[in-house]
């Protein structure tokens, strides 16, 4: 019988990347250390058209017409409350730039393993790091993905290879951050606050932005492996793009919903909503998740003005973004909704 997720203890990785493994001709089944047995009740309800994430029109969100803007802000507020996930269209970031960014990341993953080794670092906040799975020191089951994480703000870091990565990632990170800023402004307003409330409170000018690329090669038995198991993201707002392959699923009303975004749209994750990345048996999927967080030393806390307005007590304690990221990466919070650790107990 295949081992279950909980009973498996991973050994040192046999291969430096999932790409190496997937590229080998001999691979016809999922090796046991990657075997991820999904609860049959947890299978996605993939293509239910009633269940697609809301669409936010960025051109209307930033419109000069107060009416158009107000309407879109209301829609944004509703999307945040009801889904926590939405897609943003008409944002003005050229689709060609998104494609170039994905292509630059693909060329990084395709570098010989020897050449990627210098980025195999262990520290959470190292400016550049790549690797496989999630954290091979604590993974119980290996994930069917390789990753590359580059911190692009407050200090822009870059790779000197592959050629072109540096230029394209600079432009992409700036443009994406500008979209994220407007989304946060809209969210602030949807909560009845000044547009710059969240960005000011979170020291956005020193805010953390990470370009986190995921590489999911085709998998011979996609039902027996997982790209990223259910988890929640850190950060204020994550913007995600993908090549022309789907795979991201979002938990909504207790159902897994496959995210089917319009070409060129940003998929945005605002609240701490469960999501996961599934794999497929046809082609490599590449996604670039761009979490935008507060400044590392800035504690995120429930907004005092809103608590007062609602006559409520805080349900969560505050924590700096740096501590929160450390918590999320720790064995104790492995793939857990780590916001739960911050809940005030007697409330
Ligand atoms: C992530 C993530 C989903 C995807 O990187 O945190 O959830 O579709 N990625 O790649
Ligand atoms: Ni995620």
């Amino acid at each position: 019988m295949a081992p279950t997720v909980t009973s498996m203890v991973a050994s040192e990785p046999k291969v430096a990347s999932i790409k190496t493994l997937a590229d080998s001709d001999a691979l016809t089944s999922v090796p046991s250390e990657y075997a991820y047995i999904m609860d049959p009740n947890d299978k996605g309800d993939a293509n239910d058209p009633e269940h697609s994430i809301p669409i936010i029109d960025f051109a209307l969100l930033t419109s000069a017409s107060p009416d158009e803007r107000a309407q879109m802000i209301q829609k944004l507020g509703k999307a945040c409350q009801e889904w926590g996930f939405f897609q943003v269209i008409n944002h003005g970031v050229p689709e060609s730039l998104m494609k170039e960014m994905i292509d630059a990341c693909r060329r990084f993953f395709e570098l010989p393993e020897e050449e990627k080794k210098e980025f195999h670092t262990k520290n959470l906040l190292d400016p550049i790091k790549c690797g496989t799975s999630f954290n091979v020191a604590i993974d119980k089951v290996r994930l069917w993905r390789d990753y590359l994480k580059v911190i692009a703000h407050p200090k822009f870091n870059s790779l000197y290879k592959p050629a072109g990565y540096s230029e394209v990632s600079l432009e992409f990170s700036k443009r994406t951050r500008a979209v994220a800023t407007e989304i946060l402004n809209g969210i602030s307003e949807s909560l009845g606050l000044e547009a710059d409330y969240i960005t000011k409170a979170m020291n956005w000018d020193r805010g953390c932005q990470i370009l986190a690329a995921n590489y999911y090669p085709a998998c011979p038995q996609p039902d027996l492996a997982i790209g990223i198991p259910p988890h929640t993201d850190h950060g204020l707002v994550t913007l995600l793009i993908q090549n022309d392959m789907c795979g991201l699923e979002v938990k909504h009303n207790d159902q897994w919903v496959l995210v089917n975004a319009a070409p060129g749209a940003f998929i945005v994750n605002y609240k701490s909503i469960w999501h996961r990345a599934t794999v497929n048996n046809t082609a490599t999927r590449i996604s670039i998740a761009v979490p935008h967080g507060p400044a590392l030393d800035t504690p995120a806390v429930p907004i005092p003005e809103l608590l007062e307005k609602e006559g409520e007590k805080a349900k969560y304690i505050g924590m700096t973004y740096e501590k929160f990221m450390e918590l999320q990466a720790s064995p104790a919070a492995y793939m857990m909704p780590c916001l739960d650790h911050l809940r005030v107990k007697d409330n």
Side-chain angles (χ1 to χ4, degrees):
M1 212 183 103
T4 64
V5 173
T6 44
S7 70
M8 281 196 49
V9 177
S11 48
E12 276 301 298
K14 295 197 181 105
V15 289
S17 71
I18 189 65
K19 183 174 182 304
T20 316
L21 180 72
D23 282 350
S24 73
D25 288 340
L27 188 79
T28 52
S29 62
V30 168
S32 64
E33 62 268 40
Y34 292 87
Y36 180 87
I37 314 297
M38 203 184 277
D39 184 331
N41 298 324
D42 228 15
K43 289 254 157 79
D45 187 7
N47 280 313
D48 178 353
E50 295 293 300
H51 271 95
S52 47
I53 58 172
I55 299 175
I56 298 300
D57 188 327
F58 190 82
L60 297 178
L61 189 66
T62 52
S63 166
S65 146
D67 273 2
E68 281 182 348
R69 183 166 156 74
Q71 268 181 29
M72 202 39 71
I73 283 172
Q74 200 191 11
K75 190 167 175 195
L76 176 62
K78 201 161 173 263
C80 287
Q81 273 185 3
E82 292 178 0
W83 282 81
F85 259 87
F86 47 90
Q87 53 170 310
V88 173
I89 58 167
N90 290 332
H91 45 66
V93 180
E95 204 177 333
S96 56
L97 177 62
M98 295 177 156
K99 289 201 161 126
E100 282 166 31
M101 183 65 199
I102 289 171
D103 193 53
C105 291
R106 179 193 296 276
R107 284 183 287 116
F108 173 82
F109 289 115
E110 286 173 355
L111 290 173
E113 293 309 318
E114 262 316 295
E115 289 198 36
K116 288 185 274 189
K117 267 197 183 144
E118 67 178 289
F119 307 113
H120 285 182
T121 56
K122 295 223 170 358
N123 301 319
L124 182 66
L125 286 170
D126 283 338
I128 300 174
K129 54 183 198 171
C130 77
T132 191
S133 199
F134 174 69
N135 175 349
V136 290
I138 60 172
D139 292 324
K140 292 196 175 70
V141 172
R142 290 238 193 288
L143 313 186
W144 203 266
R145 72 125 185 205
D146 295 331
Y147 65 83
L148 166 67
K149 293 184 182 167
V150 182
I151 298 182
H153 197 274
K155 184 179 175 301
F156 178 73
N157 295 278
S158 189
L159 296 163
Y160 64 90
K161 59 186 173 186
Y165 178 91
S166 194
E167 295 78 2
V168 106
S169 69
L170 176 62
E171 182 66 12
F172 175 77
S173 61
K174 277 194 198 159
R175 300 290 304 258
T176 302
R177 203 172 123 82
V179 174
T181 308
E182 288 299 337
I183 292 171
L184 287 177
N185 291 349
I187 291 173
S188 285
E189 282 197 61
S190 79
L191 292 167
L193 303 164
E194 292 294 323
D196 62 358
Y197 185 98
I198 294 177
T199 51
K200 264 194 186 153
M202 294 295 102
N203 292 317
W204 184 246
D205 54 337
R206 294 186 292 114
C208 185
Q209 183 195 39
I210 307 174
L211 303 177
N214 298 301
Y215 184 96
Y216 309 100
C219 173
Q221 296 169 298
D223 286 345
L224 299 182
I226 192 84
I228 309 180
H231 69 283
T232 58
D233 287 355
H234 53 74
L236 293 166
V237 71
T238 301
L239 274 61
L240 182 139
I241 61 171
Q242 58 190 4
N243 63 348
D244 46 10
M245 302 298 293
C246 287
L248 172 63
E249 294 183 352
V250 173
K251 194 119 196 207
H252 178 66
N253 292 342
D254 263 349
Q255 267 195 345
W256 286 104
V257 176
L258 181 73
V259 173
N260 222 332
F266 278 111
I267 298 164
V268 180
N269 173 1
Y270 167 64
K271 266 204 311 203
S272 289
I273 296 290
W274 285 102
H275 57 284
R276 66 185 181 189
T278 58
V279 293
N280 73 83
N281 59 7
T282 52
T284 298
R285 173 165 183 262
I286 295 175
S287 70
I288 302 172
V290 191
H292 296 80
L296 287 178
D297 60 2
T298 300
V301 293
I303 297 175
E305 287 85 341
L306 294 182
L307 290 175
E308 201 174 311
K309 197 165 109 191
E310 306 283 332
E312 295 244 14
K313 278 201 249 163
K315 292 197 170 66
Y316 296 92
I317 59 164
M319 188 179 266
T320 67
Y321 188 45
E322 182 165 7
K323 283 262 170 313
F324 191 61
M325 279 207 270
E326 280 168 6
L327 175 67
Q328 205 212 25
S330 69
Y334 190 84
M335 296 295 160
M336 296 290 286
C338 52
L339 207 51
D340 284 358
H341 288 266
L342 273 59
R343 257 185 192 279
V344 175
K345 296 280 181 298
D346 60 350
N347 212 324

